Amino acid sequence: MYQFSYADVQEDGVAEAREREREAINHSISLLKAAKANGLESREAVEAVYFCSRLWVRFVEDLASPDNQLAEELRANLISIGIWIIKESESIRKRQSDNFQGIIDISVIIRDGLK
């Protein structure tokens, strides 16, 4: 009845994973925009920083995994970006920065690269 090759099923899995990653980054961007609009002292800022940090910690962990099949150079670049976002989020949390827009801009670029 239904016959799919292993490659087709595997590719569908990768496409679904990329779509989930895009959705998570979109959510992060929405939270960051709300935080930027409401300021460092807002509940939105706390939520955005927490979500963004957790998201990128997870991404960096996945990228550092030996099972990750992305090219080594791409993985290294994305890990560097992730570390920057985590550090920038921490600076915002400590009220040493209000660079929501920088994180938003980088997040948009990464999200758009997942197409």
Side-chain angles (χ1 to χ4, degrees):
M1 187 162 148
Y2 293 104
Q3 293 184 357
F4 300 102
S5 73
Y6 178 75
D8 290 341
V9 171
Q10 188 175 16
E11 183 60 33
D12 287 345
V14 170
E16 288 173 11
R18 281 195 182 130
E19 184 57 31
R20 284 191 306 272
E21 290 168 349
R22 281 179 53 79
E23 289 172 10
I25 293 172
N26 270 334
H27 184 65
S28 176
I29 291 167
S30 295
L31 291 173
L32 290 162
K33 286 179 178 179
K36 180 181 174 194
N38 290 293
L40 282 174
E41 302 293 327
S42 68
R43 177 180 171 95
E44 290 84 0
V46 172
E47 290 176 5
V49 166
Y50 179 76
F51 184 85
C52 189
S53 294
R54 296 304 309 152
L55 177 64
W56 279 95
V57 164
R58 178 65 189 109
F59 283 163
V60 168
E61 287 172 350
D62 181 61
L63 290 162
S65 168
D67 296 332
N68 190 297
Q69 296 181 358
L70 289 177
E72 190 172 327
E73 184 177 355
L74 177 57
R75 287 174 39 201
N77 290 337
L78 289 170
I79 288 170
S80 294
I81 290 167
I83 291 169
W84 179 84
I85 289 174
I86 293 165
K87 286 181 178 180
E88 197 64 26
S89 296
E90 182 64 11
S91 293
I92 292 170
R93 186 190 69 77
K94 291 179 177 180
R95 312 287 193 274
Q96 297 169 342
S97 173
D98 65 351
N99 190 17
F100 294 108
Q101 191 60 52
I103 299 173
I104 291 167
D105 292 344
I106 297 299
S107 297
V108 167
I109 291 167
I110 299 299
R111 179 204 59 201
D112 291 349
L114 290 170
K115 290 182 181 178

